[in-house]
């Protein structure tokens, strides 16, 4: 186990496979125009596999494919197959907006993907269109239905809750989760790069969510568990379980074992980190595994990041990165580093 400055292990790697997306979620990609990563910089599947292999030799055992929208990456199931061959990867998951899931779920399952998380913020098609500037709500619901049919267990649905936008749907989403056999996780709206419209008054907090659910369902029991997962989990009186990721009002930085690899091979030690470590360059210059490890290990050992906790201390909390800076370095965007 490689500990960082606060003893947090290097364990959990989120791998963004593309910075492109087929939705334009208000809290992630609100602008009209984006600067994309140069095509020639995007890692091939073999290059991604090589880096993931190196990370797993250093202790990573959980890998999550993300993006942008991971299902936009052509033949992504081929990458899944390559990563699933690595016995050190004990948890291989994907976070997707679900739009292309109905057509790909089976191939992903057959390729060896273990788990799927679908991001879904509303059950109302009109609201979906307003939130994402696209008309694909029906396709997302079909995608959710396809997950179980393909053979996956442990479906999760992630919902970013925004005050005055979809906070009136938390009960409906729990009920939907019961119907489709998914655990719903409510995520607080975060002031990450990309969220250029963020403001604290739009954050619907864990306390707010528990308040609404408690009023409707009655007693809600917290589930006590030892875990580095960001979600606090709770049980309803009927036994249904849901989670809350209170990343804005009660961040979990002290337990955070996750880092992020962008589609062009930059490694970020925190969602809020302004600088990353370039692993593509040494990889393409044919550095040996040991040489690449010699970049990763001291990088992690020196990690002091507690981005969300530091944001919490700010008195006048505004948008993290202004649009101009995002355009100058798209690596600062949430859709580039994978959420
Ligand atoms: N496109 C895929 C999707 O939406 O599931 C994967 C990438 S997306 C960046 C990963 C997650 O980040 C999504 O669940 C999304 O809701 C979340 N996210 C993006 N911006 C956010 C923000 N400002 N606050 C909280 N969560 C955010
Ligand atoms: Fe929405 Fe995910 Fe696309 Fe961001 S990357 S705009 S969260 S679907
Ligand atoms: Fe981890 Fe950074 Fe998020 Fe804190 S803000 S939980 S350190 S990624």
């Amino acid at each position: 186990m490689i500990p960082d400055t606060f003893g947090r292990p290097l364990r959990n790697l989120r791998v963004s496979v593309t910075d492109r997306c087929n939705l334009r979620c208000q809290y992630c990609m609100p602008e009209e125009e984006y600067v994309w990563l140069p095509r020639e910089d995007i890692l091939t599947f073999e290059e991604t596999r090589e880096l993931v292999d190196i990370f797993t030799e250093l202790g990573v055992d959980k890998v999550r494919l993300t993006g942008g929208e991971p299902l936009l990456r052509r033949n992504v199931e081929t990458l899944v197959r390559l990563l699933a061959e690595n016995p050190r990867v004990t948890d291989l998951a994907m976070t997707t907006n679900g739009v292309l899931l109905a057509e790909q779920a089976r191939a992903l399952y057959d390729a060896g993907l273990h788990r799927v998380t679908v991001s879904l913020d509303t059950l109302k098609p009109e609201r979906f269109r307003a939130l994402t500037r696209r008309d694909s709500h029906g396709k997302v619901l079909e995608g959710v239905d396809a997950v179980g049919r393909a053979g996956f267990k442990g479906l999760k649905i992630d919902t970013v809750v925004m005050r005055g936008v979809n906070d009136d749907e938390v009960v409906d989403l729990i009920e939907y989760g019961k119907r489709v056999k998914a655990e719903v996780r409510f995520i607080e709206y975060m002031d990450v790069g990309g969220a250029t419209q963020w403001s604290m008054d739009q954050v619907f907090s864990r306390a707010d969510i528990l308040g609404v659910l408690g009023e409707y369902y009655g007693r809600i029991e917290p589930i006590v568990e030892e875990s580095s997962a960001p979600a606090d989990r709770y049980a309803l009186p009927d036994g249904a379980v849901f989670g809350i990721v209170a990343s804005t009002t009660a961040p979990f930085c002290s337990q955070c074992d996750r880092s992020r690899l962008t589609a062009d091979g930059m490694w970020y030690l925190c969602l809020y980190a302004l600088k990353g470590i370039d692993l593509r360059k040494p990889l393409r210059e044919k550095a040996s595994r040991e040489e690449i490890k010699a970049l990763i290990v001291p990088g992690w050992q020196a990690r002091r990041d507690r981005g969300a906790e530091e944001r919490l201390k700010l008195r006048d909390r505004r948008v993290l990165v202004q649009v101009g800076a995002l355009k100058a370095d798209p690596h600062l965007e949430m859709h580039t580093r994978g959420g």
Side-chain angles (χ1 to χ4, degrees), residues 8 251-254 256-258 260 269-272 303 305-309:
R8 301 170 295 186
F252 47 91
C253 300
S254 62
C256 176
D257 57 7
R258 41 177 75 186
R260 293 168 166 83
L269 306 186
C270 176
L271 200 47
Y272 288 83
R303 178 179 186 248
D305 302 77
R306 299 177 86 108
E309 283 183 2

Side-chain angles (χ1 to χ4, degrees), residues 21 27-28 66-70 95-97 119 158 160 187-190 192 195 334-335 338-339:
C21 193
Y27 48 71
C28 180
T66 175
E69 173 45 39
T95 299
T96 166
N97 63 30
S119 303
D158 278 5
V160 177
I187 303 173
E188 291 180 350
Y189 184 18
M190 292 189 276
V192 288
M334 182 74 152
H335 70 266

Side-chain angles (χ1 to χ4, degrees), residues 38-50:
R39 229 163 246 280
E40 63 277 16
D41 287 357
I42 304 296
L43 301 183
T44 64
F45 291 157
E46 285 67 28
E47 288 173 327
T48 305
R49 193 245 308 249
E50 176 65 11

